[in-house]
Amino acid sequence: RFLPTIEAFFVVNASCTNDSGEDKKDSESLGGEANESRDGAKSGDAPKHKVEDDFDIDSLVGGRRLIQFVAANKVLLNALLRSNPALLEKGLRAMVQVPRCRPFLDFDVKRQWFKTQVRRLRQHASRRHGSLRLTIRRKHVFEDAFHRLRPRTADEMRGRLHITFVNEEGVDAGGLSREFFGILAKEMFNPNYALFTSTEDGCTFQPNPNSGINPDHLSYFRFVGRIVGKAVVDGFLLDAHFTRSLYKHMLGVKPTHHDMQAIDPDYYKNLKMILEHKLDDIGVDLTFSTEDHSFGRSHTIDLIENGRNVVVTETTKEKYVSLVCQHRMTTAIQSQIKAYLEGFHELVKPDLISIFTAKELELLISGMPEIDIDDLKKNTDYQGWKATDKEIDWFWNVMFSLSRSEKAAFLQFATGSSKVPLSGFAELQGMRGTQKFSIHKAGGSSGALMSAHTCFNALDLPVYKSEEEMKEKLLYAISEGGGGFLFA
């Protein structure tokens, strides 16, 4: 019964005061924002980044009222959109078109809207080009796919995929395609191709700044981008996890120095020390330059013009940290990112993918991880608690009772990542290297919310009166404090 009133509110307040601006927005057939940056759209451009605040909400009749209304009524709006997804293309389309409204959309609502858009593109491509049929040698999947797909247009790539393995009689009803993507997800990180390097935790990958040792590296990066885009469009999950900074590049969002933590924890710790302490106190002399060590050689790279001769001061150290992180996460791998984005955006346009956050994009590409609670329990230390305490028994009972998405959300809340190390929780990485998950007895009043220290993989667990109360507090903590991305 609220719907007509809500739609009327959106019509009035989300209308553009600038007629030409409204016309431009209406021309976006897939609900994309007119001012969205187009990463990799021009062959000569470096990756660009959008800033969501660039969208001027004052250009709307009631832009600020709209944001306040959406924030206050996000539960009701998401419930309406689940029951009637078409509203995102009709009366409530401002929820997608206005960037500041998007964070209030739940992940499953965004995903449903996205699937609807790409389904139309796939149907259009199938009518024009038919199916995409590939005959592949099982022992040469990566190379064969690279050469077979290289001449295909983006529209042809969107056709329904049919895989045939040479000298095998299997008919592809989805299983062979899934196997095909599974093999590619492993091979793209094969060190022999020199395309990606793993981060300190060994769980995530980013482009290799020295990939130029492979003469065809940019063509391969474009190919990998197309494969990731094809998997997303077709709904196949890839067992491939990239760094948060690369996901941000895919969304046109500029990485920050905090994204360095997952790439190189020790380096991030040093940067934090620079920001939080006086340079004289920690005894460092810095210039606006950085050292590159490649193939046994070292050379200095200026972060600004003549940077090696410009001293970093207290007033300029924030700029230094920003520039040195920009160099490692963007500038040093600029051509690799550009080629990868060109391939990805051929299949998935920026105005479609920009609805997601970096965490949500990782979920869209890789899905929820398998989390072995028995392995986590076996590799947990206790401080202030004993493994035999009834509260600890309650805790593990709660953990075993969680759904797959809730377990992933808990892991994100407690460790800062929803990914499981390849060798299990015994190799969980923290600020000090390998650092097991630990449960600390929290001080303060009984029944307080639990908290986490992600740098140390530590959970502060207060005293609770019952297992039911503990579960209630845990679910609240992971949904509100973990940047939640629960499936409905």
Side-chain angles (χ1 to χ4, degrees):
R1 67 177 184 271
F2 301 111
L3 185 55
T5 305
I6 292 173
E7 286 189 296
F9 177 87
F10 270 78
V11 168
V12 171
N13 290 281
S15 297
C16 192
T17 57
N18 184 328
D19 291 338
S20 62
E22 182 67 23
D23 291 340
K24 189 174 182 180
K25 261 187 260 184
D26 287 343
S27 70
E28 296 287 337
S29 60
L30 293 175
E33 182 199 334
N35 293 330
E36 201 76 43
S37 66
R38 305 285 176 146
D39 296 72
K42 297 179 181 179
S43 59
D45 292 345
K48 297 176 183 176
H49 300 106
K50 70 179 181 181
V51 178
E52 293 194 345
D53 288 341
D54 282 352
F55 181 89
D56 185 6
I57 60 172
D58 291 328
S59 68
L60 303 178
V61 171
R64 298 189 184 279
R65 284 196 303 272
L66 176 69
I67 302 301
Q68 291 169 357
F69 176 82
V70 170
N73 296 279
K74 64 177 183 179
V75 174
L76 172 61
L77 291 170
N78 279 288
L80 287 172
L81 292 168
R82 285 191 186 95
S83 62
N84 189 357
L87 287 171
L88 275 180
E89 300 179 71
K90 297 177 181 177
L92 304 189
R93 65 182 181 275
M95 293 286 291
V96 172
Q97 291 178 337
V98 180
R100 287 181 61 181
C101 287
R102 295 172 190 165
F104 301 108
L105 287 172
D106 289 342
F107 174 62
D108 62 298
V109 174
K110 296 179 182 180
R111 186 178 54 168
Q112 183 58 47
W113 175 85
F114 176 80
K115 288 169 68 175
T116 300
Q117 308 307 315
V118 297
R119 188 184 303 120
R120 290 177 187 161
L121 291 172
R122 290 182 65 199
Q123 290 170 347
H124 173 74
S126 293
R127 284 195 296 268
R128 289 190 61 188
H129 303 285
S131 298
L132 178 63
R133 298 182 179 274
L134 300 178
T135 300
I136 304 289
R137 294 172 297 170
R138 184 175 286 278
K139 291 185 178 180
H140 303 277
V141 171
F142 194 80
E143 287 293 331
D144 284 359
F146 173 72
H147 292 293
R148 302 283 192 282
L149 293 175
R150 193 171 188 173
R152 302 279 189 157
T153 66
D155 232 20
E156 289 174 320
M157 285 278 291
R158 291 193 184 97
R160 182 175 179 181
L161 183 63
H162 285 276
I163 296 295
T164 300
F165 287 109
V166 175
N167 297 326
E168 296 185 21
E169 296 181 0
V171 177
D172 191 2
L176 294 181
S177 292
R178 189 176 300 109
E179 190 175 359
F180 169 74
F181 282 115
I183 295 170
L184 287 176
K186 291 185 178 71
E187 281 298 296
M188 66 176 68
F189 302 126
N190 187 330
N192 291 332
Y193 293 110
L195 299 178
F196 293 90
T197 57
S198 64
T199 57
E200 291 292 317
D201 63 5
C203 296
T204 55
F205 295 82
Q206 71 165 356
N208 180 2
N210 298 314
S211 63
I213 194 173
N214 178 343
D216 294 322
H217 69 129
L218 296 183
S219 295
Y220 279 109
F221 272 111
R222 178 173 173 268
F223 166 68
V224 170
R226 294 179 111 202
I227 288 299
V228 174
K230 177 64 175 170
V232 168
V233 166
D234 287 5
F236 288 100
L237 296 176
L238 295 175
D239 187 15
H241 295 273
F242 301 106
T243 56
R244 183 61 48 83
S245 57
L246 184 57
Y247 291 122
K248 287 188 172 182
H249 283 304
M250 294 168 74
L251 297 171
V253 176
K254 185 177 181 179
T256 70
H257 75 275
H258 296 293
D259 298 311
M260 184 59 69
Q261 182 176 3
I263 298 173
D264 190 336
D266 289 335
Y267 191 68
Y268 173 73
K269 184 166 66 174
N270 292 337
L271 294 177
K272 277 193 71 177
M273 190 176 296
I274 290 171
L275 292 174
E276 295 173 358
H277 299 85
K278 290 186 176 181
L279 298 177
D280 290 340
D281 292 345
I282 56 178
V284 294
D285 297 315
L286 300 169
T287 62
F288 276 90
S289 62
T290 185
E291 295 296 318
D292 177 67
H293 305 279
S294 301
F295 308 114
R297 296 180 180 179
S298 178
H299 67 279
T300 302
I301 298 174
D302 290 323
L303 300 175
I304 60 175
E305 186 176 355
N306 196 33
R308 68 193 70 189
N309 296 316
V310 179
V311 176
V312 176
T313 65
E314 287 298 319
T315 57
T316 61
K317 66 182 183 181
E318 288 188 11
K319 181 180 179 182
Y320 167 79
V321 168
S322 176
L323 288 173
V324 78
C325 289
Q326 180 182 330
H327 172 76
R328 287 196 58 175
M329 293 187 286
T330 304
T331 311
I333 51 176
Q334 182 171 295
S335 59
Q336 292 91 330
I337 292 172
K338 177 177 171 291
Y340 173 84
L341 293 182
E342 283 177 352
F344 180 76
H345 287 152
E346 281 184 45
L347 277 295
V348 187
K349 297 300 181 186
D351 55 2
L352 289 182
I353 205 70
S354 62
I355 191 174
F356 297 105
T357 65
K359 289 180 183 178
E360 291 168 342
L361 180 56
E362 181 178 10
L363 277 180
L364 190 71
I365 293 171
S366 305
M368 286 290 179
E370 290 287 350
I371 298 173
D372 186 346
I373 299 301
D374 281 312
D375 183 47
L376 178 62
K377 182 178 180 180
K378 187 167 55 177
N379 290 287
T380 295
D381 294 329
Y382 302 96
Q383 294 190 22
W385 294 106
K386 296 191 295 292
T388 54
D389 288 335
K390 69 177 186 297
E391 289 86 354
I392 296 301
D393 283 336
W394 292 349
F395 174 80
W396 291 116
N397 288 340
V398 169
M399 290 300 298
F400 280 110
S401 73
L402 297 181
S403 69
R404 190 177 179 186
S405 62
E406 289 167 342
K407 290 174 185 174
F410 173 81
L411 200 59
Q412 178 75 42
F413 171 73
T415 71
S417 171
S418 62
K419 294 177 289 297
V420 180
L422 294 177
S423 302
F425 287 107
E427 297 297 322
L428 193 63
Q429 297 295 304
M431 202 63 146
R432 301 166 183 159
T434 301
Q435 198 160 2
K436 287 185 178 181
F437 174 63
S438 59
I439 302 177
H440 299 239
K441 192 168 188 176
S445 59
S446 172
L449 276 178
M450 56 189 72
S451 58
H453 306 276
T454 57
C455 292
F456 305 103
N457 302 322
L459 179 75
D460 289 341
L461 184 69
V463 174
Y464 294 109
K465 296 177 182 177
S466 66
E467 184 177 321
E468 291 72 23
E469 182 188 20
M470 181 182 289
K471 183 171 184 177
E472 177 188 346
K473 298 291 186 179
L474 184 144
L475 290 175
Y476 182 83
I478 64 177
S479 63
E480 297 298 322
F485 40 71
L486 304 184
F487 285 103

